[in-house]
Amino acid sequence: MTKLTALVIKWVLIALALAGVLWVATQLAIAGYTMAVIVAGMLGIGILAVYGTRRNVPLKYLLPGMLLLVAFQLWPIIFTASLSLTNYGDGHLISKEETVTDIIAQSVREVPDSPRYRMSVATKEGASATTGDLVLLLTKPDDTMFVGDTGGLEPLPADGVEKTTTGKITKAPGYTILTAREVNARSKDLSALAVPTGDGGGIKPVGLSEAFEGKPSVTYDASADRLTDSSTTPPTVFEPKNARWVSTADPSVAFPQGWQENVGFANFTRIFTDETLRAGFVKIFIWNVVFAVVSVLSTFLLGMLIALLFNDPRLKGKAIYRSLLILPYALPGFITALVWRGMFNQDYGLINGALGLNVDWLGSPWGAKAAILITNLWLGFPYMFIVCTGALQSIPRDVREAAIIDGANAFRTLRSIIMPLLLVAVGPLLIASFAFNFNNFGLIYLLTKGGPFDGNDTSIGSSDLLITYAYRLAFSGSAPNYGFAAAVSVVIFIIVALMTIPAFRQTKALEEVN
Amino acid sequence: MSTVNAPVPADPRLETRVDAAVGRHTETPDRGGLGKRVWWRHLLGILALVWALFPIVFIYSAATNPSGTLNTASLLPSGFSLSNFDKLFSDPARPYWSWYRNSMIISGVGALAAVFIGACAAFAFSRLRFTGRRPGMLALLLLQMFPAMLALVALYVTFAKIGDVLPAFGLNTSIGLILAYLGGAMGSNVWLLKGYFDTVPKELDEAATVDGASHARIFFTITLRLVMPILVTVFMLVFVGLYGEFMLASIFLTDVENQTLGVGLYGMTLGNDANQFFGQFAAGALLASIPVVALYLAFQKQLVGGLTQGSVK
């Protein structure tokens, strides 16, 4: 490759990267994220400064990895910490201003003799028909067209738009119009949708192909920070309380829309003061530690014993043994966990069938714990076997011989010579294994999902780890509470750090001996 | 392919730790024996094999079991039938080959990108001298102590927002999931890679510099070729890791067409269908295991070298 071609390739790549950044910046600008546009601009300048000049050679190699690291590892950690101080979650996903516009738009009642719109339900092009935000394509009786969503109403350019004789839009560039069946599937989202119009009114759908414009019954008084609903007699006044609009007359009456709010350390206080949560948290924590310790010890013990078994130069066929013993480790973890779940099935499973037992493995608290430990022993011992074999082979022969000459028997040699050397060698790996198992989400989730659960408490399972508990808080159930889940994650961060950093220090000191 | 099979140097940490503790490292050729016979070792070895292999035999039996349910599956094959495979491939609600393709693409692209990013970073840390080199390496090590999955809530919210603006990179896309995985690309492998990069003689670089080669030329045409064995090792470690990843994939990929093998097969074992679909599930599991098991068996030496350096499953 000549210098010239290399130069051409370099500048083509830089140009492509800059074009990509520009495209992202445009999309961000359209969506109205000013700060993000600035960040994208700085990124573009950064790319040009690093790759377009002859300086900053190390950065040329580090920049791609660093960008990804900052964006998808460092930022999520910082973001988790900041989320843990909020109430972000179901019913608290939007800002306070948005709740006001939303509530007012929701309260729209049809004004007699106001115009009706022909309506088509669509999503932005590329968005999913089942989950994407809904957009209304509207035609007024005078044939002017609009596009409306929760953000407001905008005129729809006539270019490329096709409509039926009645005015219903059937095609519009940039939007995918949903079929009647798809709209039906989302009737709940549709009925919750109201398009705010500039003058305090709103447009709401009626049925699947019409919408009306009306006036809201709720008004907002910005100076007093109160909402007043005049559809009731007497009018109800709502005040902001705990990130929701609550009636001043009857505290049990409130609008469903809440806003995201900074709650300080309330999530953390809740973990440690709420009676049920604290009891549950302590229970989960104890099992989490027991699980990690027993997993590491059992896999290490079995792996070491098998390594010792095969640590005999006269033994033939060691390569075959090793290839076969590595298989549990080689299979993808999700497969083995799911297969073991099938084998632990109380009624049909292999284990109860073959051993003539009738243990409710996955349905009873102790059975589930035993099943998890057995499965993890099977999953993890090949790793320890490999590691121990490597360490045993690096123990010099003459050290053992010296022990034998000094009159030590096989057991004594093992205990006083081999074990200490082995532990020095594999110590850091045991700690890493502990840290890994402490957050072994996949195994627990696939095997028991954290269950079984006590009859009346569905939030804390008897085989839950902290990580599966945090996951359930955030992603399952009808009311995800991201803020609280983030707080639990932060607590796990701190626990893991407190437990592993001193251990790593210890082994660092060992390593620095040489 | 010759470079592919070059052995990875045995774990320096394992040996140096032992050497340091022993105080010497000469090996005498004379091999004194412990124990008189080896037959009992074979006996226990076969016992270990039975323990290690019975679930795998069970997968095979269940996959080829003609009736295809969990309650009729036995440890040893009770007959041979491909009906479970037929059902698996023809089930429109469970697009098995799409899952397979998604898994291969996500793991393959993710591993390739991770190796490239890691190799670039390792080259900088091993060959170039700059302020912040040592703190940078230590910071990477420290960051690895915090499992990225603990930040899953934030990752989810971040990608939901990205998807609002750039639908091609958001939730429910392979690209989004790969990006999320690549956050850890530099950190997790850079120490392993740098260790190997350090073993390539610096004199080669210096000679090339004297001949007028630029740093990029040295990197692409000299260094990358010489470190190929470790690149292969890291590629496989990352590939296997991503192939088996379940948690992020299950949060990110909600549409059945976009799912990976892990998420899809998991869906087959849920609820009341578990018994009925067990044969199909086992057939899918058997096929899904083939790529990684083949990789493991073909590249055992390299993987063992890489594993002992601290990658833990």
Side-chain angles (χ1 to χ4, degrees), chain A residues 195-243:
Chain A
V195 179
T197 50
D199 55 355
I203 297 174
K204 280 191 68 118
V206 225
L208 300 183
S209 56
E210 266 194 326
F212 66 81
E213 184 167 5
K215 287 279 172 211
S217 63
V218 175
T219 49
Y220 179 55
D221 177 358
S223 59
D225 201 18
R226 293 284 185 275
L227 287 174
T228 311
D229 184 355
S230 50
S231 66
T232 57
T233 39
T236 326
V237 178
F238 293 86
E239 59 176 352
K241 205 185 217 173
N242 290 331

Side-chain angles (χ1 to χ4, degrees), chain B:
Chain B
M1 286 297 282
S2 65
T3 46
V4 170
N5 289 320
V8 168
D11 175 11
R13 287 197 297 176
L14 272 179
E15 277 170 9
T16 45
R17 282 196 292 268
V18 173
D19 289 345
V22 173
R24 57 192 301 183
H25 50 260
T26 46
E27 192 162 342
T28 49
D30 175 30
R31 315 205 142 191
L34 289 167
K36 302 284 183 288
R37 295 194 182 86
V38 291
W39 64 266
W40 62 272
R41 288 181 191 264
H42 279 298
L43 198 71
L44 289 176
I46 287 164
L47 210 64
L49 283 187
V50 169
W51 159 248
L53 298 182
F54 84 92
I56 298 171
V57 174
F58 176 66
I59 301 179
Y60 173 80
S61 310
T64 57
N65 171 19
S67 45
T69 56
L70 176 59
N71 52 339
T72 57
S74 56
L75 178 56
L76 295 174
S78 57
F80 184 81
S81 143
L82 291 177
S83 65
N84 290 322
F85 291 89
D86 285 341
K87 275 190 250 165
L88 179 70
F89 301 151
S90 57
D91 189 343
R94 298 183 179 75
Y96 185 73
W97 291 118
S98 299
W99 299 342
Y100 218 108
R101 194 190 56 226
N102 294 336
S103 273
M104 294 304 270
I105 290 176
I106 290 172
S107 317
V109 174
L112 267 185
V115 167
F116 183 71
I117 290 167
C120 287
F123 180 74
F125 283 125
S126 166
R127 284 305 197 264
L128 309 171
R129 290 294 173 267
F130 51 95
T131 37
R133 194 180 74 97
R134 265 188 66 81
M137 291 285 291
L138 288 175
L140 284 180
L141 189 67
L142 204 68
L143 208 58
Q144 294 318 303
M145 309 244 308
F146 299 103
M149 63 176 162
L150 280 183
L152 75 157
V153 176
L155 263 180
Y156 178 80
V157 176
T158 305
F159 274 90
K161 291 221 163 109
I162 291 177
D164 283 346
V165 185
L166 310 164
F169 297 88
L171 296 175
N172 221 347
T173 64
S174 298
I175 304 180
L177 185 60
I178 291 173
L179 279 177
Y181 286 149
L182 284 182
M186 184 157 93
S188 46
N189 304 309
V190 76
W191 280 78
L192 183 61
L193 286 162
K194 180 190 172 282
Y196 197 91
F197 276 59
D198 285 345
T199 64
V200 176
K202 270 213 156 76
E203 288 73 15
L204 285 175
D205 299 20
E206 284 156 13
T209 314
V210 171
D211 288 348
S214 66
H215 61 87
R217 200 183 178 90
I218 294 172
F219 176 64
F220 283 110
T221 62
I222 300 175
T223 317
L224 275 194
R225 287 181 192 186
L226 291 173
V227 298
M228 199 45 94
I230 195 72
L231 297 187
V232 172
T233 305
V234 170
F235 175 84
M236 286 188 305
L237 287 175
V238 178
F239 184 92
V240 172
L242 294 187
Y243 197 84
E245 204 282 332
F246 175 77
M247 179 159 140
L248 271 185
S250 72
I251 299 172
F252 270 54
L253 309 173
T254 46
D255 280 4
V256 76
E257 271 292 324
N258 297 332
Q259 284 170 347
T260 57
L261 283 168
V263 185
L265 287 175
Y266 172 66
M268 275 192 191
T269 65
L270 289 179
N272 299 328
D273 298 343
N275 181 30
Q276 188 200 336
F277 283 111
F278 197 77
Q280 275 186 57
F281 160 76
L286 202 64
L287 288 179
S289 314
I290 290 173
V292 267
V293 170
L295 273 181
Y296 259 97
L297 294 182
F299 299 102
Q300 260 187 67
K301 253 190 193 146
Q302 286 91 327
L303 281 169
V304 168
L307 289 179
T308 45
Q309 291 234 350
S311 148
V312 184
K313 184 167 166 185

Side-chain angles (χ1 to χ4, degrees), chain A residues 61 73 76 308-309 312 314 321 323 329 331 334-335 341 348 378 401 424-425 436 439 441 449 467 489 501, chain B residues 17 30 35-36 41-42 51-52 71 117 120 145 149-150 154 183 215 243 247 266 269 285 296 300 313:
Chain A
Y61 291 91
Q73 194 158 30
L308 285 171
L309 186 69
D312 185 322
R314 294 167 302 165
Y321 277 118
S323 297
Y329 186 72
L331 290 180
F334 59 83
I335 287 178
R341 196 175 74 181
Y348 316 120
W378 186 82
E401 276 156 18
V424 170
F436 170 81
N439 290 310
F441 173 85
K449 269 198 154 179
I467 182 91
S489 298
I501 288 178
Chain B
R17 282 196 292 268
D30 175 30
K36 302 284 183 288
R41 288 181 191 264
H42 279 298
W51 159 248
N71 52 339
I117 290 167
C120 287
M145 309 244 308
M149 63 176 162
L150 280 183
H215 61 87
Y243 197 84
M247 179 159 140
Y266 172 66
T269 65
Y296 259 97
Q300 260 187 67
K313 184 167 166 185

Side-chain angles (χ1 to χ4, degrees), chain A residues 123-126 172-176:
Chain A
T123 56
K124 286 231 169 67
E125 203 163 64
Y175 299 96
T176 315

